[in-house]
Amino acid sequence: MPHDIEPIGYLRSCFREKFAIPRQPRLAPAARGVLELLPPFDSGEAVAGLEQVSHIWLLFLFHQALEDKPRLRVRPPRLGGNRMVGVFATRATHRPNGIGQSVVRLDRVEAGRLFVSGIDLLDGTPIVDIKPYVPYADALPEARNEMAAAAPELIEVQWSESALAQARSQALRLDEPVVELIEQCLAQDPRPAYQKPDPERRYGAQFWDLDVRWHYPEGESIRVLEVVPA
């Protein structure tokens, strides 16, 4: 029988668009956000005790990827985007009920607000539940996943002098680790795996309220060209 799920809050994230968001949580420790809880969960009672927890699970809705017809097979980016596997063998956004989960670092607890980092969630993501991470139960050293046995290989991120100066200036304005955030996200190479970039082509994404532009001067490295207010 159908069940209705209501958000308990919304995440205010450094990621303002889907492109360049890390494909898993905790790959970009500098990626930060604030979970703003809705009534009646914003009184402080619902989060009492969370100060004893270092990490939490966020259950959320892929609100920009909801589909009427469920997909049985998908093309995960980890396999190059050109090989299909069953949807339940992946963490693809195209879920039957649009539900996702991420384990994130809990940096600070306030009544009605949770400050988190290592996130991989879009700004405005509806959160439907919070669960504490339990190390003895959730960390399984014997677990395996042959499709994703290790974190993605990183590529080199270089900066133009002007872009680095812009990023440092914006970091002071925002009081956020802008340089680290850009480096950690771009080092995972956000382009589709099947795409061979032309050195002249410019790519872009938005972090916080900043437009970040880059290109691939040698194919296997990124050079940041510009960091300016959106």
Side-chain angles (χ1 to χ4, degrees), residues 35-224:
L35 171 51
E36 298 180 347
L37 297 170
L38 297 173
F41 307 107
D42 61 344
S43 66
E45 294 181 65
V47 297
L50 266 186
E51 69 280 355
Q52 303 175 68
V53 175
S54 67
H55 294 75
I56 54 176
W57 290 99
L58 297 180
L59 277 68
F60 61 91
L61 296 178
F62 287 107
H63 61 301
Q64 291 194 6
L66 298 177
E67 299 174 333
D68 294 330
K69 184 178 180 181
R71 301 190 189 190
L72 302 184
R73 298 204 299 166
V74 297
R75 302 177 188 271
R78 189 61 181 263
L79 299 180
N82 53 18
R83 175 183 164 193
M84 297 196 76
V85 297
V87 65
F88 296 132
T90 78
R91 294 190 179 186
T93 60
H94 306 287
R95 314 307 305 175
N97 290 296
I99 298 174
Q101 65 177 21
S102 288
V103 61
V104 301
R105 182 173 184 82
L106 180 59
D107 296 318
R108 191 162 89 246
V109 180
E110 294 182 359
R113 296 198 302 174
L114 302 181
F115 294 77
V116 294
S117 60
I119 61 176
D120 61 343
L121 303 179
L122 188 66
D123 185 57
T125 293
I127 306 299
V128 297
D129 203 358
I130 303 165
K131 296 180 183 293
Y133 183 87
V134 181
Y136 78 84
D138 294 345
L140 304 174
E142 75 278 12
R144 66 181 180 88
N145 185 325
E146 295 176 8
M147 282 194 293
E153 291 187 14
L154 303 181
I155 66 172
E156 182 184 7
V157 177
Q158 306 167 353
W159 292 81
S160 69
E161 289 187 13
S162 59
L164 185 57
Q166 290 169 342
R168 287 171 173 167
S169 174
Q170 295 300 329
L172 293 174
R173 178 180 67 86
L174 293 169
D175 192 24
E176 294 288 347
V178 172
V179 174
E180 293 84 353
L181 175 65
I182 293 172
E183 289 184 346
Q184 291 168 9
C185 291
L186 297 192
Q188 296 169 57
D189 197 356
R191 66 182 164 137
Y194 56 82
Q195 190 177 95
K196 301 302 180 184
D198 184 326
E200 300 303 315
R201 178 173 179 177
R202 300 298 185 260
Y203 292 78
Q206 193 174 46
F207 301 95
W208 295 116
D209 61 352
L210 302 173
D211 279 335
V212 180
R213 307 294 177 190
W214 70 90
H215 75 139
Y216 293 81
E218 300 171 354
E220 296 306 318
S221 66
I222 280 175
R223 183 174 177 82
V224 184

Side-chain angles (χ1 to χ4, degrees), residues 20-38:
I21 293 181
R23 296 188 176 108
Q24 298 292 343
R26 301 181 62 232
L27 294 180
R32 305 200 295 202
V34 180
L35 171 51
E36 298 180 347
L37 297 170
L38 297 173

